Amino acid sequence: MKYISIQEAIKKGKGKVSIRGWVYRERGSNKLKFITLRDSTNIIQCVLERTNFEKTWEEIDSTKIETSMELHGTIKKDERAPTGYEIQVTDYRVVGTSDNFPIGKDFSTGFLSDNRHLWLRSRKMVAIMKIRSTVFGALHEYFRGLDYHEFQSPIIIPGGAEEGPTLFEIKYYKDVAFLCQTWQLYAEAAMFGLEKIYTISPSFRAEKSSTSRHLCEYWHAEMEVAWTDLPELMDLAEGMVKLCFKRVLEKNQLELEILKRDPKVLEPVIKKPFPRVTYTKVLEDLKKKKMKVEWGKDLRTLEEEKFMDGKDVPAFVTNYPKEEMAFYKPRDPKDKKTALCFDLLGPEKMGEIIGGSVRDENIEELKASLKAAGEDVDNYKYYLDTRKYGSVPHAGFGMGVERIVRWICGLETIKDAIAFPRTMDRFKP
Ligand code: 4AD
Ligand code: MG
């Protein structure tokens, strides 16, 4: 017996088929049993007539949601069936019986989080996980297509690169160590040998609040490249985002439909260039919109959203105030109050999708910035050392993969963009 997927069976559209999967819905009378079967590809309605199964009717009649089954029968078009086709079952086998499946009665957020291991079977989560997989594939494709090398950095690290308060502390024998927030400082060391590198790996942030865009453990797509300036870096970031959207639109039409996400909303991201504006210009724009921000203050969510209001593609905001920025972002020689950096802000209230910058090469500037940030310069000795031997202009960026998945899928919260979210109030199951 050759089993085919439900999607393949639907494509075939007529004749004999054998499929297997899990009971998604069931209903019946004492003459007929309707089973909607799901597999990883789709769902399909299947009908069993009692007259054909007198001996095993009791088993069929008591089939519960999530029972795993093999079904054999004839498929035909049926407009009334949920996916347009129906299978008249001629033979079947129960593979694994099921208890009363808890999901279906209670859909509260807390309940679904406690039962995440079961909720992962839902059509919604399966659709999201497929799109996520497409995005990971597109990221590898993008960087490998540009001859980047995949480079891995340590997860256990001696000190941070981003904000100190979000470092996760861990016991390291008799010492204290941290979980990495970014691969960046190691990537910069490796850049001197490999020149063009990227990674997709977990990053950790002990965020102090639970929001719709923060996770404590997220997948970070990062790149670092030699001989580059800020405009070129933004070109690379834009190309990466565009390819992710393109691949999802090519491969995941069915998933977007399941998520009720209109593909038309995604199309401008592929077609239109992303605008590039400085932080200072953003403040001017906000002022016109009757929102006053003092120069030097980082943009808050509210302000980012106001600026992005009405835009259908993301925007690069460059040249944030130097003093507000991480220590490695250099001063812009043309505008010394600001740093050579960007944030890519998403439309639809998605906020920051990517953060990137040129890297400071000046050892004294780096030391001063580290001290100003309250860091122990000794912990960064290896990093400063890299600048001593033939430093070159280089730059890089990082994107939270769940941020772009959330945006593509149009999800209310980032928690649904990852299988088992780790947040301030949850690390189980
Ligand atoms: O802006 P961030 O902090 O920049 C860096 O870590 C740089 N060292 C990256 C680099 O240049 N290699 O973080 C980069 C991105 C953000 O733009 C955001 O998409 C994501 O990481 N991010 C988070 N995603 C989910 N949950 C969190 N708590 C996140 N914090 C940052
Ligand atoms: Mg940032």
Side-chain angles (χ1 to χ4, degrees), residues 70-85:
E70 296 167 351
L71 295 176
H72 314 279
T74 312
I75 190 166
K76 65 169 176 33
K77 241 193 161 95
D78 187 330
E79 302 295 335
R80 295 160 304 174
T83 42
Y85 286 83

Side-chain angles (χ1 to χ4, degrees), residues 161-163 181-184 205 207 213-216 218 220 222-224 328 343 352-357 359 396-400 402-403 414:
E162 304 303 326
E163 301 137 273
Q181 300 165 310
T182 167
W183 78 328
Q184 184 190 320
R205 309 268 170 124
E207 301 291 352
R213 61 176 78 150
H214 289 94
L215 292 164
C216 294
Y218 71 97
H220 206 166
E222 296 186 86
M223 61 80 77
E224 194 71 33
Y328 56 78
D343 272 4
E352 180 187 335
I353 304 291
I354 305 181
S357 81
R359 314 309 193 188
F397 62 72
M399 173 178 75
E402 289 77 15
R403 296 244 173 128
I414 194 167

